[in-house]
Amino acid sequence: MPPAKQFKPESTCPCGSQKQLSNCCLPYIERKLLAPTAEALMRSRYSAHVLMAIDYLWDTWSPEERIRSSKEDIAAWASSCEWLGLQILETTAGKEQDTQGLVDFIAFFRQDGQLAQHHEVSLFEKVQQAWLYVGHQQ
Ligand SMILES: [Zn+2]
């Protein structure tokens, strides 16, 4: 497994929030805080792809869905892409008091020299205070 990329805590967060990494996704990725909302988890999972924080991606993924992949697959995917940005289009529910939420987003990346984008409406569920990525709408 490749080591996590080193980003300075004061760098701008990859998720596009314009905040410093240390004031945005890093505390979640480092497990110092739980992401309070589905969107915060979504953003931190995007940043975890950029930072190659594979264990975080694994642990914030619904256990029922993990059987379809492996940490090695996630690492191979994340490292095969040059991550260019995240755009959140819409968030439905997924607030502190909710137990489910939807996040409509586009992730921009370059892979094999080609610009690409991944548009998905992700479903998140809160289990024991922690938001998990469950899957996406068809
Ligand atoms: Zn962030």
Side-chain angles (χ1 to χ4, degrees):
M1 187 147 309
K5 280 188 195 157
Q6 294 303 311
F7 274 71
K8 293 197 171 95
E10 63 270 25
S11 323
T12 304
C13 192
C15 80
S17 63
Q18 310 291 336
K19 295 186 217 168
Q20 286 187 352
L21 187 56
S22 60
N23 288 325
C24 191
C25 296
L26 195 61
Y28 310 137
I29 293 171
E30 291 185 333
R31 326 296 175 98
K32 290 176 179 160
L33 295 171
L34 282 171
T37 64
E39 181 176 328
L41 186 79
M42 169 65 229
R43 288 180 174 278
S44 69
R45 283 179 50 85
Y46 172 82
S47 294
H49 280 89
V50 180
L51 272 58
M52 291 291 294
I54 305 303
D55 287 341
Y56 182 75
L57 290 171
W58 187 254
D59 293 344
T60 54
W61 202 15
S62 154
E64 294 84 49
E65 295 297 315
R66 281 181 207 155
I67 55 171
R68 300 197 291 159
S69 188
S70 66
K71 286 189 186 182
E72 288 72 21
D73 287 347
I74 297 170
W77 156 251
S79 63
S80 74
C81 301
E82 180 190 349
W83 298 94
L84 301 175
L86 174 69
Q87 187 177 2
I88 305 280
L89 301 177
E90 189 176 10
T91 301
T92 308
K95 301 279 189 272
E96 281 87 343
Q97 70 278 11
D98 296 321
T99 54
Q100 281 203 336
L102 294 172
V103 181
D104 187 352
F105 71 92
I106 305 174
F108 299 90
F109 57 94
R110 188 180 290 122
Q111 191 177 34
D112 301 326
Q114 300 285 320
L115 287 176
Q117 55 186 47
H118 176 74
H119 183 193
E120 179 177 314
V121 180
S122 292
L123 174 63
F124 297 88
E125 278 180 14
K126 193 160 61 182
V127 179
Q128 294 173 344
Q129 303 303 312
W131 284 102
L132 293 177
Y133 171 55
V134 176
H136 57 87
Q137 290 189 332
Q138 298 304 315

